[in-house]
Amino acid sequence: MLRISSCLLVAVACVLAAPDPSTKISSDLQARLKAGEKVNIIVSMVGGTASTLQQINSQRIDNRNILLNELHDALVANAERSQRGVLKRLSSRSGVKSFWISNQIFVKDADSELVKLIAEDDQVDSINEEAVAHLDEPFDMKVVETLADEHQWGVVKIQAPEAWAEMGALNGNGVIIATVDTGVRVTHEALRDNFLGDYGWFDPSTGLPAPTDNNGHGTHTTGTIAGGKGIGVAPGAKWAACRGCASSACWQSDLLACGEFFACPTLADGTSRDCTKAPNVVSNSWGGGRGNTWYNDVIAAWKAAKIVPLFSNGNSGPNCNTANSPADQDVIAVGSTTIEDAISTFSSVGPTTDGRMKPEVSAPGSNVISAYYTSDTAYVSLSGTSMACPHAAGTIALLQTRNKNLSYAQAKQFLQGHTDTNLQFTGRVCENIGDNVFPNHVFGSGRINALKSVRAQTLAMQG
């Protein structure tokens, strides 16, 4: 009898210790569900991807093509194991998308009953409303009637042509650059000759089979990285693009889809996959809020794949504590400078919510001329950290020209450790650090200089 009572006590204790599934549901989501709304949700699984990425990183695989395939297979297997139960519960529903890149599931128009059902699965860690980011909207658009036959001022300022000469006339050759943005006008005269082609385009929101841009932002940023006609920092590179921002709004599910696509690209219709077509660097000119971590799993996977992530720091300046997410995470965040080497007034400023230095670097971002979406010969001048980030991404592409296996840490060091610091200062102080003391929360480590970065790489290669 005593033995039976002990067993009963153990069983009762186990029941009492079982977690309440409702604690997995965010308070904001609970409030909307209680009001009877149907909500797009993101379901995050226990453990995420951390242990899988740690295992891949510990193997130190030198051959990048092998690395990319091993990474994809490991993340897919991880997601299949942990998501199996939830996907079975959702098998009869449409509007469900599994993401192996972050070990998460997107569910469209979920109601209270469905969310509670999902929360009962012991592999579910949390359920949140789908987040939305926004383009770092540029300022001061001016139409360029006639494009001058010369390199644009930002390309000249960072000494990109001299960097090309340093590498024996190489300027991005063999590198694939990518943008998560509004798309690209693939027929534009400055971009039509170096589109990657197959495995170089994905549109998660509308599924269009070829690159298009109904906004212009993505055409402009891609042009600054790899465009011809004097607008690009690395015109020898191939470009790929994913429409993570179908409008000025960028939904989390689309951004996750783009993150996954670049880690192991598919054809536009999803019928074939080739991880070896993954880009070397991804430029992101979108964000919003501060201290948001929901894109960190994608960022970590990109780094494991030797894809260097850069983000514009945001256009919420000039005050301190305005650096946006995901730029305020462990990425290369880029602020904006003027032709006079002053910080652009709109450029967001650090520190992060937990006190870290941001941005890492600054780059030309005011009155930058690049390609536009309105015709195959259209050019406009725009201002924003959206325009600055592509200059830094192009510089990373130049560094990758001679080393396709360049790690995130190496790229960051070559970029951040070899900047120009003879700049125009305004006396701004954030966290007791003036803008003339480097690094600082205004300029970061300084304004990028492609020639200095490439020369530092040359010395490292010789050593």
Side-chain angles (χ1 to χ4, degrees):
M1 186 69 178
L2 179 61
R3 184 177 302 168
I4 295 173
S5 299
S6 299
C7 291
L8 286 172
L9 287 172
V10 170
V12 170
C14 290
V15 170
L16 292 174
D20 179 0
S22 67
T23 61
K24 303 176 183 181
I25 307 168
S26 72
S27 57
D28 290 344
L29 176 57
Q30 288 193 46
R32 292 195 62 185
L33 294 172
K34 189 175 181 180
E37 296 182 50
K38 291 186 176 181
V39 186
N40 293 348
I41 61 170
I42 299 290
V43 182
S44 300
M45 312 308 294
V46 172
T49 59
S51 61
T52 303
L53 294 179
Q54 183 179 19
Q55 181 182 11
I56 291 293
N57 289 333
S58 68
Q59 295 179 29
R60 301 185 182 279
I61 301 171
D62 292 329
N63 184 303
R64 187 172 184 244
N65 288 343
I66 294 175
L67 168 64
L68 290 166
N69 282 294
E70 291 284 337
L71 176 65
H72 167 261
D73 293 348
L75 287 173
V76 168
N78 176 60
E80 288 178 346
R81 282 193 301 271
S82 57
Q83 296 180 19
R84 186 178 296 116
V86 175
L87 292 176
K88 185 176 181 179
R89 295 171 190 251
L90 298 172
S91 59
S92 62
R93 286 184 62 91
S94 60
V96 176
K97 169 65 177 174
S98 166
F99 293 106
W100 51 261
I101 190 76
S102 57
N103 199 12
Q104 292 174 308
I105 302 169
F106 166 77
V107 184
K108 184 177 177 64
D109 291 337
D111 59 17
S112 178
E113 182 180 351
L114 179 62
V115 172
K116 289 177 182 177
L117 179 67
I118 294 170
E120 291 173 358
D121 191 289
D122 61 6
Q123 288 299 306
V124 171
D125 179 71
S126 63
I127 307 175
N128 293 275
E129 182 179 355
E130 181 183 19
V132 59
H134 293 85
L135 293 176
D136 287 326
E137 292 281 9
F139 306 95
D140 303 326
M141 187 180 83
K142 302 180 185 71
V143 175
V144 177
E145 298 296 344
T146 303
L147 185 70
D149 186 18
E150 60 188 14
H151 297 300
Q152 293 303 313
W153 78 264
V155 176
V156 173
K157 176 70 76 171
I158 68 172
Q159 294 189 277
E162 291 89 338
W164 306 340
E166 172 77 14
M167 297 190 294
L170 298 175
N171 56 6
N173 307 61
V175 175
I176 301 172
I177 68 93
T179 54
V180 177
D181 214 300
T182 62
V184 180
R185 186 181 179 101
V186 69
T187 55
H188 195 285
E189 64 175 4
L191 291 162
R192 62 192 175 205
D193 292 334
N194 59 335
F195 172 48
L196 178 62
D198 288 345
Y199 306 99
W201 167 251
F202 185 54
D203 181 357
S205 57
T206 64
L208 290 175
T212 61
D213 185 2
N214 298 318
N215 177 286
H217 192 274
T219 300
H220 198 280
T221 57
T222 306
T224 299
I225 305 173
K229 303 290 182 180
I231 64 174
V233 174
K238 297 287 187 182
W239 63 263
C242 184
R243 201 198 310 271
C245 305
S247 63
S248 61
C250 317
W251 292 95
Q252 183 178 0
S253 56
D254 288 341
L255 295 170
L256 290 172
C258 286
E260 189 166 282
F261 170 70
F262 285 138
C264 188
T266 62
L267 292 177
D269 61 4
T271 57
S272 177
R273 187 180 295 278
D274 186 349
C275 296
T276 69
K277 295 296 193 298
N280 304 96
V281 57
V282 182
S283 183
N284 301 268
S285 291
W286 54 269
R290 287 170 52 75
N292 295 325
T293 61
W294 54 261
Y295 211 61
N296 283 2
D297 288 326
V298 171
I299 291 166
W302 281 350
K303 289 178 181 176
K306 296 186 178 178
I307 300 169
V308 178
L310 298 94
F311 285 80
S312 55
N313 205 42
N315 298 336
S316 304
N319 293 334
C320 304
N321 301 293
T322 52
N324 289 349
S325 300
D328 61 3
Q329 301 302 300
D330 187 13
V331 297
I332 298 172
V334 187
S336 171
T337 55
T338 69
I339 195 170
E340 294 84 12
D341 268 335
I343 199 72
S344 304
T345 56
F346 52 76
S347 188
S348 288
V349 176
T352 63
T353 56
D354 57 354
R356 289 174 292 108
M357 188 75 71
K358 285 288 172 175
E360 271 64 31
V361 293
S362 295
S366 287
N367 301 311
V368 172
I369 294 174
S370 188
Y372 208 49
Y373 78 115
T374 49
S375 80
D376 291 343
T377 57
Y379 298 88
V380 298
S381 169
L382 294 173
S383 297
T385 55
S386 286
M387 287 61 253
C389 187
H391 283 88
T395 300
I396 296 296
L398 296 183
L399 293 166
Q400 292 168 327
T401 302
R402 295 183 295 183
N403 181 6
K404 306 301 184 298
N405 286 320
L406 196 70
S407 69
Y408 169 77
Q410 291 169 326
K412 182 178 177 182
Q413 174 56 34
F414 283 131
L415 188 73
Q416 196 173 6
H418 304 280
T419 60
D420 284 336
T421 55
N422 184 21
L423 309 174
Q424 296 294 315
F425 308 117
T426 61
R428 198 182 313 179
V429 177
C430 290
E431 297 296 297
N432 298 314
I433 303 173
D435 62 0
N436 62 339
V437 178
F438 291 90
N440 60 67
H441 294 293
V442 178
F443 291 101
S445 292
R447 195 254 303 133
I448 64 170
N449 184 303
L451 176 60
K452 288 183 178 180
S453 294
V454 166
R455 280 181 173 168
Q457 184 187 43
T458 298
L459 290 173
M461 292 169 66
Q462 294 172 346

